Amino acid sequence: MSFPFEYDTGAQLPFGGVLPHVATFDASKVVILPVPVDRTTSYVGGTRNGPREILVASSHMELWDEEVGADVHGVGMYTLPEMELPFGELPAVMDEIRRVAYEVIARDKFLITLGGEHSITPPLVAAAAQKFPNLSVLQIDAHADLRSTYMGTIHNHACAMRRVLDYASLTQVGIRSLSTEEAEAIPELNTNIFYDATMRRDPQWIDRVVDTLQDPVYITIDVDGMDPAIMPATGTPEPGGLSWYEMLALLKATLMRRRVVACDIVELSPLPGLVAPNFLCSKLIYKIITYRFAGR
Amino acid sequence: MSFPFEYDTGAQLPFGGVLPHVATFDASKVVILPVPVDRTTSYVGGTRNGPREILVASSHMELWDEEVGADVHGVGMYTLPEMELPFGELPAVMDEIRRVAYEVIARDKFLITLGGEHSITPPLVAAAAQKFPNLSVLQIDAHADLRSTYMGTIHNHACAMRRVLDYASLTQVGIRSLSTEEAEAIPELNTNIFYDATMRRDPQWIDRVVDTLQDPVYITIDVDGMDPAIMPATGTPEPGGLSWYEMLALLKATLMRRRVVACDIVELSPLPGLVAPNFLCSKLIYKIITYRFAGR
Amino acid sequence: MSFPFEYDTGAQLPFGGVLPHVATFDASKVVILPVPVDRTTSYVGGTRNGPREILVASSHMELWDEEVGADVHGVGMYTLPEMELPFGELPAVMDEIRRVAYEVIARDKFLITLGGEHSITPPLVAAAAQKFPNLSVLQIDAHADLRSTYMGTIHNHACAMRRVLDYASLTQVGIRSLSTEEAEAIPELNTNIFYDATMRRDPQWIDRVVDTLQDPVYITIDVDGMDPAIMPATGTPEPGGLSWYEMLALLKATLMRRRVVACDIVELSPLPGLVAPNFLCSKLIYKIITYRFAGR
Amino acid sequence: MSFPFEYDTGAQLPFGGVLPHVATFDASKVVILPVPVDRTTSYVGGTRNGPREILVASSHMELWDEEVGADVHGVGMYTLPEMELPFGELPAVMDEIRRVAYEVIARDKFLITLGGEHSITPPLVAAAAQKFPNLSVLQIDAHADLRSTYMGTIHNHACAMRRVLDYASLTQVGIRSLSTEEAEAIPELNTNIFYDATMRRDPQWIDRVVDTLQDPVYITIDVDGMDPAIMPATGTPEPGGLSWYEMLALLKATLMRRRVVACDIVELSPLPGLVAPNFLCSKLIYKIITYRFAGR
Amino acid sequence: MSFPFEYDTGAQLPFGGVLPHVATFDASKVVILPVPVDRTTSYVGGTRNGPREILVASSHMELWDEEVGADVHGVGMYTLPEMELPFGELPAVMDEIRRVAYEVIARDKFLITLGGEHSITPPLVAAAAQKFPNLSVLQIDAHADLRSTYMGTIHNHACAMRRVLDYASLTQVGIRSLSTEEAEAIPELNTNIFYDATMRRDPQWIDRVVDTLQDPVYITIDVDGMDPAIMPATGTPEPGGLSWYEMLALLKATLMRRRVVACDIVELSPLPGLVAPNFLCSKLIYKIITYRFAGR
Amino acid sequence: MSFPFEYDTGAQLPFGGVLPHVATFDASKVVILPVPVDRTTSYVGGTRNGPREILVASSHMELWDEEVGADVHGVGMYTLPEMELPFGELPAVMDEIRRVAYEVIARDKFLITLGGEHSITPPLVAAAAQKFPNLSVLQIDAHADLRSTYMGTIHNHACAMRRVLDYASLTQVGIRSLSTEEAEAIPELNTNIFYDATMRRDPQWIDRVVDTLQDPVYITIDVDGMDPAIMPATGTPEPGGLSWYEMLALLKATLMRRRVVACDIVELSPLPGLVAPNFLCSKLIYKIITYRFAGR
C-alpha cells in the first residue's frame, strides 16, 4: 500500500511481522496462503481463527535459527491475504482453493497453506500434483481421515486423506484414532501407516518414514498429530502424538532427503487466552522454511 | 430406564432436573426437543452445546414462580433426547426436524425446541402451520434474517425468517442489524418490524406488538435479541436489545392474549466458565411454561 | 497489493471487512488509524490487542443503519496499517503519533484513532488543534485523568486529559472515579465535568453537555466510560457508566449540533473468548461515521 | 511487620491497598474480616477466592467520592488476615466466626465481613445481636434462603436466613427465586419480602424498605441480588436484580436513616480473567464506608 | 425410553455416544457409574462436572483400537444415570455408594466409576472386597492420601487411601506429594509406594508394580497421577507424574497379568474451554475396557 | 500483626501458607522477596500477578520431600511484602531493587526473588556481586536476552543478561530463541551457552553446565526456559525447553556442587483459571530450598 506521507507501518499480519528484508511476491521463494475454511456461522472460535493467530504470533519470533546457524528470511516470504470464504457450496470452495494454489505453485513458489479444516488438503494436493506428477504425501495426524464419506459429504475433514489418494501415494505418521470401517478398508488403500503407539519401537522410525516417500513430496500437518500437552488447541485432541523435537527431526529428515514442494498446517483452533499453541505453529512454519532453504 | 435394583438417579438432563412430579410423554403437556444443529466439525464450542447447557442449568432452578404465585411443573414437562444430527445434507436435516416436530405438535403438546442455529426455525414453523393454519410468528432477534440466500444456500441462518414467510405472517421485535439488501426488500415482505432503536418511544409498544399477531402464534427467540449485557453467549452479540423484564413483559402479554402453540430458543453459544447466559435461557423457558399454563 | 493472478481477498483487517465499495486513501472521507500503544512486554493481552480485535469484529457488521435509514460506507473508509510501536521512549512515540495524525487531518480526512492506552490522546488532540484552533474536546470516561504526573511520568494515561488542557478546552462525561488530589485541583482547571452519579437528574443533560462545546470538536472515548455490563473489557471497569443508547444519544446530539473533526476510541483490552465488547466498539465507530456523514 | 531495614511495602492485601493514612486496629473505626468459607476441597475456583480478589481489586480504587464530596479513608480501615478455615465440622466453624465477630463488634468497630458462602451470615448476625438487641436485618439477595434444612444440614447456605430469624427480624430485597416449600412457609415467618419482579412498581419502594427496619440494622448482601449483567460471578446468577445505582440508593437511604452496625458481602465466586465483578464489590464496600462515615 | 413415534436419538450421554451395538444392562459386561460427589454448593466448576464432561467427550471417540487390533464395544457398555447426591451427610452418601456399587459388582459386571472426589473410593473398594475377598488395590496418584483425619472428618479425600487399607492391601504409583505426618506413618502401613521421582530408575518398574498385586485387583486412578502437561484439570496439579504411554503400559500389564474386577477414575475438575483432559479420561476408560476384554 | 484478641489467622500469603514452624526475619535462613515489576497500566493480567499467584499456590503444598527424605521448612522461610512499585522511572526502580536485595543478602539470608519481568535480574545480581565477588550466574531461559538495547532502553527484559555481564560471568541453559544481532555478538561475550536443541546429545550435559560455574553462584530462572507443556503461562512460550525432572536434576547438581547464594524466578504471567503453572513455580522454589538446606 502507498500513502501520501511517510509511515512506519506495524504488524499488518505478514508472516514474521515487520521483517528487516521485505520481498515482493515475485521476489519471494516462499508464499503463505491463509485459508480459514470453517463451516461455523458465527465469528467466534474455531479453525477460522487459526491462520490469523499464527500470523499474529509470527511477529514475535526471533529470526536466527541456532540449530542450523542461519537466518533464512532473506529468501523472501510473501503472505497473501486470507482467501475470501465461503463464497458458495463446498465443491466451489474446493475448486477455488485448487485454482489459487496452482497459480502459486506454477510460479515455482514454495507454498505454505494455513488452515482451516483438513478438508482443504485434497485441492491443495491436486494443485501440487498437477505441477508435479508422481507426488508422495506425508501426513502427520492423529486421525487416519480415510473415510469414504462422512455426514453426507465427501468433503468432510474425516475423508480428506481418502480424497488425497486420488492424486498421490500416502504415508501417515502419528495415527492413533481410527473407525472400525477405516481399519477394515486400509489393507486395500495405497497408504503406509506409522501408528503412534508402536512406531517408536524402531529407533530408525524416522528414516523408515522418509524411505516410503518418493520425490516430489507434499507435507500436510494436522496439528492434532502432536501431543495435546503442547497442542491442546484443536478439535479432537487425542492423547499421545509427536513431541516438538520428534516433529522437528521428522521434518528435517524429510526436507533434507526429499524435494518437498509445498505443505499445509491445518486444524489449529485457537484457545482464547492461550498463545503457546499458536506460537508453536508459527515457529514450526519457520523451521520448515529454514530446513528447506538454509544452505541452498 | 429400569435397572435390576433400587436406584436414586440424579440429573440425567431432563429439563428441570429431578422433579417432584415426573410425567411420561403421554401425560406431559410440554415437550422439550433439543436440536443441536451447528455446522462445526469439532466438538468444541458453538451452538451445538446450547441445548445441553440449558438443560444442565435447568436442574438448578427453583420451581415456584413468585410473580404469578404458582408452581406449574405438574402439567408435565417431557424432555426428548437430542436429535441425532447431522445425518446428511441440510435439506434432509430440515425435513427430519419438521417430521419430528409435527409428531409432537400433532399430539397436542406444547413444543419447546432448543437450538442450535436459527436455521432450524423454518421446519419447526412448517410443522406448526401444518397443524395450525393461519399461523402468526413472533420473532425476537437482533437480526432480520430476511436474506434470500446467503453463502450459497437458502438454509443459512441469515435466511431463516425469509423461509418462515412461506408458512406464516411475521412480527419482528428488537431488530437492530440489517443488510442493505434486506432493507430494500422489506417493503415487499409480509412482516411487521419493531426496531430496537425506536420501539420504546411508544409506551404501549408491547401491546402494539401483540396487536399484530393473530391466533395461533409461534414464538421464535434468537437469544441475540436480548442485550449482550445479559446475553453475551451468542455468535454476533449486537449492542442494544431487550432487557430481562422487557422480554418477560412481551412474552407474558403474548401468552396471555394469544393462543401460543409452540416456540423455540436458538443461537445460544455457551461461553466456557460463564453460566449466567445458560441459566437465563433455562429460566426463560420455565417462565414461558408458567405464563402458558398457570391458572388454566 | 497486487498479485500476478486473480484473487478474491478476504478480511485483511480493513474496517468493515470486504466492502461493496472500496475506496483509496485519497477518495476516502474517513481514515482509521490503529495505534496499539501498550507498555507491556509480552504479546499476550492488554490494550495492544484492542485495534486488531475491533477490526476483526468490524467485518461481521451489517452496513445498513435502520435508525437514520442509510448505508454510509460509500463515503470511503480507509484503514491504515497499525503504527509500528514502540520505537523508542515515550516522548518520541508521542511525537510520531502527532506527526501521523496531522498528516491525515491536514488532508481533510475524518480521523478515527483506535487505541491502545489513553496516553495517545494528547498528541492526537495536539494534531487536531494545529489544524483547527479553538478546539473543544468531549471526553467520555470513568476517570478524570487529570493528574499532573503519575508513576514518575507526565505521559501516563492517568494524566492524559491534564495534557489535553494545553491544547483545548474540555468537557468530561460519565466521570465516577477521582483521586483526592484531582478533586482539589479541578476548580482551577478549564474543564466541565458531568459526573455519572448525578448527570441524569437533569433530563436535558445531553443538551447541556453539547452546550459546553464550541466548534470544532474532538471526541475521545475511553471505553470504560460505558457500563461494565456492556464493556467489561477494560483495565479498571468502574461500575455505573453510560448505557449503549445513552452513548448513542450523546454522540448523535454532538455530531448533529457540532462540527466534529476527529475522534478516538481507547482502552479496549479484549477479554479472551468474549467478543461482545469488541463488536460493540466496532459498531460504535460505524455509528459515529453514520451520524457524521448521513445526509451530507 | 518490622524489618531490620527501610522498606517500601506494596499491596499486602489490606482493603484499599497502600493508603495515605494507615491506621492501627485500635485507631480504626472500620474492620474488614475475610472469611473464605467454601466447602470445596481443591484450591481452584469458588467463593473461597472471593475475599482475596476483593482485596486485590480494592488497591486500584481511587479514594475520593464525588457523590458526597469526601475522602473518608481517614476514619481508619483495618483488614484482618483471612480466618483460618476450615478447622473442623461446620458447627465449630460457625462458633468461631461468631466469637471473632463479637470480639470486633464489642470494641465498637464497624465490621464488614467478606465471604465466602452465605452460610456465614447467621453467626455474624448472632454476634451483632449479642451486642445490639432488637436487631433488624436487611438482606439483598436473589434467593430467599429460608429453607429449614437442605442437603441434610441446617448450615447450608440455602437455610441461612431461616437461621437468622432466630436472632433478628428480616427484610428481604430483590428476591426472585423460591422453592415451593419456602413459598408455603413464608406467611408464618417474621420477614418482609420485596420481590424483584414487583417492587419497582412503587416509586417509593426504597423508602418502604427502610420503613420496615428498626435500629440497629445489620446488612447482608448476597452479590447475586444484583443483576447478572454486572455480577455474573456467583454460583446461581438469577436474571433480574438490582442495578448499581439502585443498590447505591438503597444502601444510602438505609445508612442515612438507620444506625447500621455491621454488614457482610458474600457469594462472590470470581471468574478467571473477569475483574469487573471483583472491582464492583470493592467499590460497593467503600461506598458503604463513605455513606456510613462521611460528615459524622 | 420409548416414544409414540420413530426417533433418531442423539448423544444422551451414554459412554461412547450412540454406538453401533447398544446393550441392555443385563447384556452388558461393563457398567459405568457416574458419582459426582463434590462438596461445593454452586453448580459452577469442580469435580461435580467431571463425569458429565467425560461422557460428552466419549461420544467423539473412534471405536477401533489400533494397538490391540480390536473394537470391543460389543461386550456391552451400560451407563447408569448420575447418582443423586448429596442427599444427606457424608456417611450416608458413602453407604449409598457402597450399596449401589455392590449391586453392580454382585451381578458380575465390570464396574467403572466416574468421580467426583477421591473420597468415593473407600466405599467402592468396600463393595468390591465384599464380593472378592483378599483384594489388592492399585492406586495411581500424586498424593498418598494416607492421613488419618483431615479437616475434622475421616471422609476427606486426603484420607481416602487410609480408609481403603481397612478393606485391602495397597500399591501406590506416581506418588510425589506427602505430608510429614504421612511420611512418618507409612512404615506402619500395609502399602507399597512407588515414588514418581525414583520409580523409573528401575527399567522393570512396571513389572515390579504388578508383582506387588495379588488377584483380584481394584484400580483407582486419581487423574492427578498423570503429568499436568496432559492433565491440568485437577485440584492440585503436582508437576511430574505419568505420561500417557506410561499410564497405558502400566494398565495393560496389570490388566493382562491380573484379574481386575473394578476401577474408578476420580478428581477430574474440567477446565472451561479446554477439552483435552476430558477427552483423555474418556479414552483412558475405553483403553481399560479394551485391555480387559479384547481377545477374551 | 497483633490484635486485641485471640485469632487463628489463615493464609496471609507467606510462602508455604500457615506453617507448623513460623520464623521471624532474623531467625530465617530463607527470605522471599516479591517484586512484581510489570510495565502494564491496568491491574489485569501480566507478570505483575506472578508473585501473588505463586504465594497463593504455595499454601497448598505438602512439606515433606520424598526425594531427599526431609522437611526443611524449619530453617525459617520469611516472606517480605511485595515491593511497592513503580515509584518512578526505571533506573530508580532498579536502584531500589538493588538496595533492598543487598540489605537481605548482607544479612546472610538466602534470597529468593519472585518476578515480575526479567529486567529485575541485573540489580539483583549486582547486589549479590557486591557481597560475593567473582560471582557466576546460571540462567535457565528460552531467550538469550543479550541485546544491547531494545525499544529504546537498556532496561528492557530482552537486555537483562547483557547487563548481568557487567557484574558476573554467565552460563545459559535451554536457549532456543535468538535475534541475528545477538547471534553475531555472542562470540565476544563472556558467556557459555547450552542450546536446548543440542545440549541433550551429551548425556553428561548437566555436569558440563555445573563445570562452567565457579563459586559463588546466582541462579536466575526465566520460567519460559521450561517446556510450554508444563509452563504455558509466560509471555513468549517457545516450544522445546526443560522438563520438570531435567530442571530438578540441573538444580540439584548445581546446589549440591556449588555454593548458591541467591536466586530468582521471573516471567510467570498467570493464566486465568489454570493453576498448574503457578503451583509448579511454588514447588520449584521449595525444591530449591530443600536441595540447599537438607542435611546441612
Side-chain angles (χ1 to χ4, degrees), chain D residues 224-238:
Chain D
D224 70 21
M226 289 179 276
D227 189 335
I230 56 173
M231 183 44 67
T234 191
T236 316
E238 301 275 345

Side-chain angles (χ1 to χ4, degrees), chain D residues 33 110-115 117-118 120-122 124-125 137-138 140 161 164 218-223 262-267 284-285 288:
Chain D
L33 172 65
F110 184 73
L111 174 67
I112 303 177
T113 306
L114 312 182
E117 302 178 2
H118 213 164
I120 67 173
T121 296
L124 293 168
V125 169
V137 170
L138 170 62
I140 300 163
M161 303 318 292
V164 158
Y218 181 99
I219 301 176
T220 178
I221 300 175
D222 184 320
V223 299
C263 70
D264 64 56
I265 318 279
V266 297
E267 296 285 345
L284 189 62
I285 292 164
I288 289 172

Side-chain angles (χ1 to χ4, degrees), chain F:
Chain F
M1 298 187 218
S2 64
F3 316 104
F5 52 89
E6 182 194 349
Y7 191 58
D8 280 314
T9 63
Q12 178 69 335
L13 296 188
F15 185 74
V18 184
L19 296 166
H21 174 84
V22 181
T24 62
F25 182 93
D26 284 344
S28 293
K29 290 190 177 171
V30 177
V31 170
I32 315 281
L33 172 65
V35 184
V37 167
D38 184 350
R39 270 161 294 172
T40 53
T41 52
S42 84
Y43 87 90
V44 186
T47 58
R48 78 165 45 186
N49 297 321
R52 188 174 68 240
E53 293 298 335
I54 292 172
L55 294 175
V56 168
S58 75
S59 70
H60 299 274
M61 292 190 308
E62 296 186 289
L63 296 170
W64 182 259
D65 186 291
E66 76 283 1
E67 186 191 1
V68 305
D71 167 353
V72 303
H73 89 276
V75 302
M77 308 185 299
Y78 191 87
T79 308
L80 288 165
E82 290 193 351
M83 284 191 69
E84 185 172 1
L85 296 161
F87 43 93
E89 293 286 359
L90 277 178
V93 171
M94 296 302 157
D95 288 351
E96 178 66 3
I97 292 170
R98 178 174 175 166
R99 185 188 68 77
V100 170
Y102 184 75
E103 293 280 359
V104 176
I105 293 170
R107 281 167 179 79
D108 291 317
K109 308 298 184 189
F110 184 72
L111 174 66
I112 302 175
T113 306
L114 312 181
E117 301 178 2
H118 212 165
S119 48
I120 67 173
T121 296
L124 293 167
V125 169
Q130 186 172 348
K131 168 86 176 179
F132 302 103
N134 302 316
L135 196 66
S136 291
V137 170
L138 168 61
Q139 171 201 6
I140 299 163
D141 202 329
H143 306 88
D145 291 348
L146 288 169
R147 293 176 195 242
S148 223
T149 68
Y150 194 62
M151 296 189 183
T153 169
I154 61 167
H155 296 298
N156 191 285
H157 66 167
C159 315
M161 302 318 291
R162 187 72 171 256
R163 292 292 85 68
V164 159
L165 287 172
D166 297 342
Y167 308 106
S169 66
L170 185 57
T171 298
Q172 302 180 288
V173 175
I175 305 302
R176 52 198 189 282
S177 183
L178 286 149
S179 68
T180 303
E181 295 78 358
E182 283 171 294
E184 287 161 357
I186 282 169
E188 312 301 319
L189 301 176
N190 185 19
T191 181
N192 297 281
I193 304 191
F194 289 79
Y195 290 106
D196 193 69
T198 52
M199 65 190 186
R200 293 172 191 81
R201 290 178 193 162
D202 178 354
Q204 257 58 53
W205 72 271
I206 287 177
D207 280 340
R208 284 195 48 225
V209 170
V210 181
D211 290 346
T212 67
L213 300 167
Q214 289 187 305
D215 279 342
V217 172
Y218 180 100
I219 301 175
T220 178
I221 300 174
D222 184 321
V223 298
D224 69 21
M226 288 178 276
D227 189 334
I230 57 173
M231 184 43 69
T234 190
T236 315
E238 302 275 345
L242 279 74
S243 73
W244 173 245
Y245 284 119
E246 286 173 344
M247 175 64 94
L248 292 192
L250 174 59
L251 291 173
K252 190 175 185 182
T254 305
L255 284 146
M256 294 293 176
R257 292 181 48 201
R258 290 291 177 272
R259 184 161 63 103
V260 179
V261 297
C263 69
D264 64 55
I265 317 279
V266 298
E267 296 285 345
L268 176 71
S269 186
L271 288 170
L274 197 68
V275 300
N278 313 343
F279 192 82
L280 182 151
C281 287
S282 158
K283 193 134 182 186
L284 189 61
I285 292 163
Y286 193 60
K287 275 291 194 180
I288 289 172
I289 297 171
T290 298
Y291 291 145
R292 177 71 180 73
F293 291 100
R296 301 191 184 184

